[in-house]
Amino acid sequence: MSALLVVTAVPAEAEAIRAGLAEPAVTVAPVGVGPAVAGAATARLLALAEAAGRPYRAVVSAGIAGGFVDRVPVGGTVLASRSVAADLGAESPDGFLPIEELGMSAELLGVGSVVPADPDLLAALRTALPDAVVGTVLTVGTVTGTAGSTAALAARHPDAVAEAMEGYGVAVAATQAGLPFAELRTVSNPIGPRDRGAWRMREAFAALTTAASALR
């Protein structure tokens, strides 16, 4: 039985993780970019494994991410205390309203816009990666690319350390399957105006390979 399913967006992330794995009973699967495809593909992988009699015990969303300046350095490693659908809600004259503030019932909300990391899984990863920065990791459908939107996002989420595009979708799939979930990211660039010259992809992938030793 595979103990752990690690989901990435793209093959390069999966390859970086496989290069650092110390545990053979870990499945690493690139599933695509964005919360919808990541959630749907993860749910399918979990359902197929369960149907085959080899269910997974936990799910980790992993890959590279943008980091908030002064909260996590480029090349640093991040563990999500919770994964948040940062743009799931509505605009209003007073600013963004998360879905929880739209007057919907708990039944309609489902899991809501926030999925906490499993405490035991997070604790194990923190022990294995003591230098990792722990905080909220935001899931967005559109990568933040202006100073204004960066400032607004940072103000709405003062405990956020990074943003990516898949964590929340993977978290919902794991939650629906009743499985522990965690999110692991390494930072390739600062969040803000797009400056490809400031991206450090090689360093982020190297950090991901190093962090993969914690995935057991």
Side-chain angles (χ1 to χ4, degrees), residues 4 6 17 21-23 26 28 60 62 125 128 184 211-216:
L4 181 67
V6 180
I17 289 170
L21 283 176
E23 171 57 61
V26 175
V28 185
V60 174
L125 290 171
L184 165 67
S213 64
L215 299 172
R216 303 185 178 92

Side-chain angles (χ1 to χ4, degrees), residues 57-129:
R57 294 181 181 176
V59 183
V60 174
S61 176
I64 62 175
F68 283 97
V69 176
D70 298 330
R71 298 183 184 177
V72 59
V74 172
T77 299
V78 166
L79 294 171
S81 56
R82 56 183 190 161
S83 299
V84 175
D87 47 15
L88 182 60
E91 292 183 333
S92 79
D94 297 321
F96 179 82
L97 297 175
I99 195 169
E100 287 83 357
E101 297 181 19
L102 299 184
M104 297 182 183
S105 66
E107 290 77 11
L108 290 176
L109 286 176
V111 299
S113 64
V114 179
V115 180
D118 178 79
D120 293 333
L121 186 53
L122 177 58
L125 290 171
R126 293 186 70 171
T127 298
L129 300 169

